[in-house]
Amino acid sequence: MDLAVITPFPPPLTGIRLYGLHLCQAMARTGHPARIVILTETSERSREREVCPPCLEIHRTWRGDHPAAGFQLLRGLKRVGLRRVWVNFGFSTFGTSPVALFSALVGLTVAARQGWAMLITAHEASLIDPDATEPLSRMLLTLFRWLIHLGVIAVPLRADLERLRACFPEASMVHIPHGSFYYLTTMVLYDILLSTKA
């Protein structure tokens, strides 16, 4: 199995960028999947030496905060031709612009409807409150409802998984904890994606 990975990627080495780097490196060490293609954002520093093993392919396909980020992302997925995708998702993955986030979600939705199998790590699952009344929380809830229709949702904290499963019984969700880069996370991720139809 080959795998496309959608993630913000170094530089700089912080937050979910670091998580994405560690997880991709761990999968590369196991040899499963055999080919890992990272689809990430363009960067002024993208010509600097990439901090990753040579077995990882990096395709800088979308621009952060760009209103066409979703189209750029979809075009990148079609170009690499891999039908199983891990999305290292945070609400600011595609920049700080709400328009860019909406665009990216549209691109992922089109890909899911066209047959891409997706596993989506929802890093901010703990922020999702089905009973929330304030506008920001309601917006995050709406975005999460959108995500659960795109593929399998990976939740880093077991307590969040149990709470969200009770609220969204129709969703396909799994627990993949942070910090288990060198065995558990990679094997669970691999098994889930291998079992999905692409």
Side-chain angles (χ1 to χ4, degrees):
M1 181 191 82
D2 296 333
L3 179 66
V5 177
I6 296 171
T7 182
F9 205 72
L13 212 76
T14 58
I16 68 171
R17 293 171 186 267
L18 186 59
Y19 179 81
L21 172 65
H22 282 176
L23 197 50
C24 289
Q25 285 178 329
M27 285 188 290
R29 288 189 193 100
T30 68
H32 302 289
R35 180 183 177 216
I36 302 170
V37 178
I38 297 170
L39 302 176
T40 191
E41 80 276 23
T42 60
S43 166
E44 292 179 2
R45 299 172 59 190
S46 62
R47 294 186 179 181
E48 296 182 13
R49 186 175 67 85
E50 303 287 1
V51 186
C52 66
C55 52
L56 299 178
E57 299 176 35
I58 298 176
H59 294 249
R60 295 195 176 271
T61 60
W62 43 271
R63 289 174 55 192
D65 286 319
H66 197 278
F71 172 74
Q72 296 163 353
L73 181 58
L74 184 61
R75 185 173 56 192
L77 281 172
K78 290 180 176 179
R79 186 179 303 125
V80 300
L82 303 182
R83 304 295 289 184
R84 288 184 174 87
V85 183
W86 169 49
V87 185
N88 187 24
F89 184 85
F91 292 120
S92 61
T93 293
F94 301 96
T96 57
S97 164
V99 174
L101 173 58
F102 178 78
S103 174
L105 287 170
V106 169
L108 291 172
T109 301
V110 172
R113 290 186 177 177
Q114 291 182 354
W116 270 268
M118 292 187 195
L119 175 69
I120 303 163
T121 298
H123 286 279
E124 290 111 346
S126 59
L127 299 178
I128 306 305
D129 180 4
D131 300 319
T133 56
E134 59 272 17
L136 178 58
S137 296
R138 298 298 296 173
M139 183 185 72
L140 295 179
L141 178 61
T142 299
L143 293 173
F144 188 77
R145 287 185 187 278
W146 189 339
L147 278 181
I148 65 176
H149 295 290
L150 302 183
V152 179
I153 302 295
V155 179
L157 298 177
R158 185 172 295 280
D160 286 335
L161 176 69
E162 293 169 358
R163 178 176 58 84
L164 292 170
R165 272 186 174 161
C167 298
F168 306 101
E170 75 282 11
S172 179
M173 287 189 266
V174 295
H175 175 229
I176 303 182
H178 280 170
S180 304
F181 299 122
Y182 297 102
Y183 179 71
L184 180 62
T185 303
T186 57
M187 291 300 100
V188 171
L189 177 69
Y190 179 71
D191 289 344
I192 291 169
L193 285 164
L194 193 62
S195 67
T196 57
K197 294 180 179 179

